[in-house]
């Protein structure tokens, strides 16, 4: 039963966020290593940054810049591709 619950949890996290979301992964690893709840949560929260969790702020900034410049969605995507930039979010 314990292994089954763990595998189900891993599958749910992977289905929701992909196989390598640092915050969720670090929280799970810390908890499985025997850390207390607060330490485990901190482990995950401290990995929030521009590529995980914080991507929404960068996405909003990118989208507002595109709107301010009068770009439609297709033009925005093409512009980002030409500049070799990731579209955050």
């Amino acid at each position: 039963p314990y292994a089954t619950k763990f595998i189900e949890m891993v599958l749910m996290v992977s289905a929701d966020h992909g196989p390598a979301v640092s915050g969720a992964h670090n929280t799970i690893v810390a908890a499985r290593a025997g850390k207390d709840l607060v330490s485990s949560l901190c482990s995950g929260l401290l990995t929030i940054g521009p590529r995980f969790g914080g991507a929404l702020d960068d996405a909003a900034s990118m989208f507002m810049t595109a709107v301010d410049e009068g770009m439609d969605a297709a033009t925005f995507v093409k512009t980002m591709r030409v500049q070799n930039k990731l579209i955050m979010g």
Side-chain angles (χ1 to χ4, degrees):
Y2 169 78
T4 302
K5 287 181 181 180
F6 179 73
I7 291 170
E8 286 176 357
M9 179 178 54
V10 169
L11 289 173
M12 283 190 292
V13 168
S14 295
D16 286 346
H17 302 288
V21 175
S22 56
H25 176 77
N26 289 346
T27 300
I28 293 166
V29 169
R32 299 291 7 124
K35 292 295 186 181
D36 61 280
L37 177 63
V38 173
S39 297
S40 298
L41 288 174
C42 287
S43 174
L45 291 172
L46 289 171
T47 59
I48 291 176
R51 295 217 178 182
F52 171 70
L56 190 58
D57 292 335
D58 289 341
S61 177
M62 288 177 156
F63 299 152
M64 282 308 300
T65 299
V67 168
D68 291 344
E69 294 177 10
M71 287 188 223
D72 62 9
T75 304
F76 171 68
V77 171
K78 286 177 187 173
T79 301
M80 297 305 285
R81 186 177 293 150
V82 167
Q83 295 175 0
N84 199 27
K85 289 185 180 178
L86 292 174
I87 298 174
M88 302 306 283

